[in-house]
């Protein structure tokens, strides 16, 4: 989008930025994503490494939150079992719009190595909640996590957020701007 | 939040409300997807009921359906922070059934990899225990070092976390040419960091106040609950399979078994269990140094790989010392290329069973510390 480049070359009148309000809003939203980390299995250990000093996840503007009500996106890292599926759905419903989901690892994407004989494994978290970004790997490398995060940021930046909000208002018949 | 429940107290005439509180299954300090149902009297824990099964991934069912080498990746995913150590008893069991004598070089590489992974696992254990106690810096220090260890694993096997590196009769690949120098550099770095952490966390006054005399596990209770690993040794019981029942080539190395001695509190408290892990890292460094010295340079690591793996009818139980404790596999063979049954004795599962016993009567905040000091991995609890 190049908003920052424009800020570097201010106009004589103190700096004018040409763009839509939506652009500026999305620019801010994409860079301050708070997440609900739902660490389930092996991928959560890689996610711990991702949060530590070598890879430093927080430079994407993310802050871990322990409650779904403060989170912008949920990160499902690991095998979703049938016993756990109900809780994931509940957490997703508790999150406020606009909300996103990153599914990390083969298990969360499609069941992974447990797809055939895993009688207690949900074959993909997208069967219960919508998934916006899939990160493949068993477990994915921290670089893959970063790639997934960049993909999500790109998606948020290009989103027509006001249209989405209007649509949601019509669908749910709830006055959001109260 | 659970519902309030009134329970009649029989020990006094004081009326007391007890609250049932639900912790987890998604809570940052339950170390995975453990759910604890806690009964509280004020802030004092009166009862703990662990609920498990949120990560049941059907290991034994998969073992029935897969051939012997195909089971190894599922064993990796049981205790996912100590994959190398998990693979060792399984491949040793099958090798014993087939009567394979693995080459010297393979034995040494296996020991070095296992000890490196033990260090990596203990680093996570102490780091997360520090997080539970409110210290974030040790986490960053340990994960910085852990990345160097993972780099060695990655050069050898291609994976950072789940390796499938130990094959039946050999290894997936030989180590890289500068393996010895790289490992010795890591040993040096691990010792340096451990010294820093001892100053920063272990002998810190705040940390000692929080962890000493908390969650005391007496030796007889530890033995009755079949605890193993640092949980058992933290109570002062000197039992380590590497010394007591040497497997692989562990009888060739000179190392000590650190036990909890109640230096700052009582024997068997959280601090003791933690210091045992710190000192085991040092002992692992000693084993690695000796193994690097004795390791032969020449040799083919895939020399003894069997063409077909069909163990004769029968059963075998093989156990080895995991970073968490005593991991065993009971394998029943029916003479085909698929096992009839593979039963795993999960260390974390057994160690977790002692939690209700030792957390009664402590504050709720201490319960989190006690859980952290047991160091469970839910992948191994539920399998």
């Amino acid at each position: 989008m190049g908003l920052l480049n424009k800020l570097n070359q201010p106009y004589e009148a103190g700096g004018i930025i040409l763009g839509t309000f939506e652009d500026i809003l999305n620019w801010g939203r994409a860079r301050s994503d708070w997440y609900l980390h739902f660490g389930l299995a092996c991928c959560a250990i890689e996610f711990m490494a991702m949060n530590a000093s070598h890879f430093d996840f927080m430079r994407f503007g993310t802050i871990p939150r322990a409650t779904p009500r403060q989170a912008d996106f949920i990160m499902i890292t690991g095998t979703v079992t049938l016993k756990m599926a109900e809780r994931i759905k509940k957490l997703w419903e508790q999150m406020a719009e606009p909300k996103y989901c990153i599914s990390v690892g083969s298990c969360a994407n499609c069941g992974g190595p447990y797809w055939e004989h895993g009688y207690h494994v949900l074959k993909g978290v997208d069967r219960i909640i919508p998934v916006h970004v899939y990160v493949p790997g068993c477990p994915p490398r921290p670089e893959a996590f970063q790639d997934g995060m960049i993909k999500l940021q790109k998606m948020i930046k290009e989103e027509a957020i006001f249209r989405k909000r209007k649509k949601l208002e019509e669908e749910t018949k709830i006055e959001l701007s109260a | 939040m659970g519902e309030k429940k009134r329970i009649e107290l029989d020990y006094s005439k004081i009326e007391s409300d007890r609250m049932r509180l639900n912790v987890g299954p998604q809570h940052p300090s339950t170390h995975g997807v453990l759910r604890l149902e806690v009964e509280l009297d004020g802030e004092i824990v009166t009862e703990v009921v662990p609920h498990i099964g949120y990560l049941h991934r059907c290991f034994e069912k998969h073992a029935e359906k897969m051939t012997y080498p195909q089971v190894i990746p599922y064993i990796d995913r049981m205790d996912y922070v100590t994959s190398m150590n998990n693979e060792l008893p399984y491949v040793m069991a099958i090798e014993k059934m087939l009567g394979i004598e693995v080459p010297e070089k393979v034995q040494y590489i296996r020991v070095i990899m296992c000890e490196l992974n033990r260090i990596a696992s203990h680093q996570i254990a102490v780091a997360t225990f520090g997080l539970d106690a409110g210290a974030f810096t040790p986490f960053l220090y340990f994960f910085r070092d852990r990345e160097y260890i993972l780099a060695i694993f990655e050069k050898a096997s291609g994976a950072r976390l789940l390796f499938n590196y130990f094959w039946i009769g050999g290894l997936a690949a030989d180590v890289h040419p500068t393996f010895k120098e790289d490992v010795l550099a890591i040993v040096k770095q691990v010792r340096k960091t451990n010294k820093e952490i001892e100053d920063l966390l272990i002998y810190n006054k705040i940390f000692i106040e929080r962890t000493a005399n908390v969650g005391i596990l007496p030796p007889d209770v530890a033995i009755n609950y079949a605890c193993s690993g640092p949980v058992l040794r933290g109570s002062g019981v000197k039992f380590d399979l590497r010394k007591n029942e040497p497997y692989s080539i562990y009888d060739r190395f000179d190392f000590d078994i650190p036990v909890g001695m109640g230096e700052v509190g009582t024997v068997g408290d959280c601090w003791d269990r933690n210091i045992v892990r710190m000192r085991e890292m040092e002992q692992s460094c000693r084993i690695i140094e000796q193994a690097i010295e004795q390791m032969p340079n020449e040799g083919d690591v895939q020399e003894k790989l069997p063409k077909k793996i069909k163990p004769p009818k029968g059963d075998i139980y093989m156990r080895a010392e995991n970073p968490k404790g005593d991991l065993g596999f009971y394998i029943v063979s029916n003479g085909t290329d698929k096992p009839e049954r593979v039963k795993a004795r999960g260390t974390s599962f057994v160690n977790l069973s002692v939690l209700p016993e030792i957390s009664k009567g402590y504050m709720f905040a201490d319960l989190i510390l006690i859980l952290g000091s047991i160091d469970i991995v839910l992948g191994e609890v539920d399998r």
Side-chain angles (χ1 to χ4, degrees), chain A residues 40 78-89 107 114 117-125 127-128, chain B residues 25 53-58:
Chain A
L40 291 163
T79 314
V80 183
T81 56
L82 299 181
K83 199 173 176 180
M84 195 50 121
E86 191 190 340
R87 283 149 207 280
I88 290 182
K89 190 149 172 54
C107 288
Y114 305 97
H117 305 301
Y119 52 83
H120 189 236
V121 176
L122 188 74
K123 312 297 183 309
V125 74
R127 295 192 179 198
I128 48 168
Chain B
Y54 289 96
L55 195 56
H56 175 55
R57 298 196 282 193
C58 332

Side-chain angles (χ1 to χ4, degrees), chain A residues 36-43 45-46 48-55 58 66 78-81 83-84 87 91 107 113-121 138-143, chain B residues 22 24-26 28 32-33 35 51-58 61-62 65-66 74 77-78 80-81 124 128 136 139-141 143-148 150 154 158 160-162 378:
Chain A
L36 173 70
H37 178 215
F38 205 81
L40 291 163
C42 337
C43 299
I45 303 293
E46 281 297 72
M48 273 159 75
M50 172 82 193
N51 265 313
S53 33
H54 263 256
F55 298 99
M58 282 194 193
T79 314
V80 183
T81 56
K83 199 173 176 180
M84 195 50 121
R87 283 149 207 280
L91 284 173
C107 288
Y114 305 97
W115 69 276
E116 198 179 356
H117 305 301
Y119 52 83
H120 189 236
V121 176
C138 187
R141 299 178 55 82
E143 288 89 338
Chain B
N22 181 39
Q26 205 281 319
V33 285
R35 186 180 144 220
H51 290 264
I52 60 173
Y54 289 96
L55 195 56
H56 175 55
R57 298 196 282 193
C58 332
K61 178 72 183 171
H62 282 90
K65 295 281 177 186
M66 304 284 169
Y74 292 92
R77 282 156 183 78
M78 269 171 51
Y80 34 77
V81 294
I124 290 192
T128 49
F136 192 68
F139 172 80
L140 294 175
Y141 280 29
F143 267 75
R144 180 194 64 196
D145 282 7
R146 189 171 168 269
E147 288 294 326
Y148 301 134
L150 295 190
E154 198 177 351
R160 275 167 55 88
L161 198 64
L162 309 168
L378 264 292

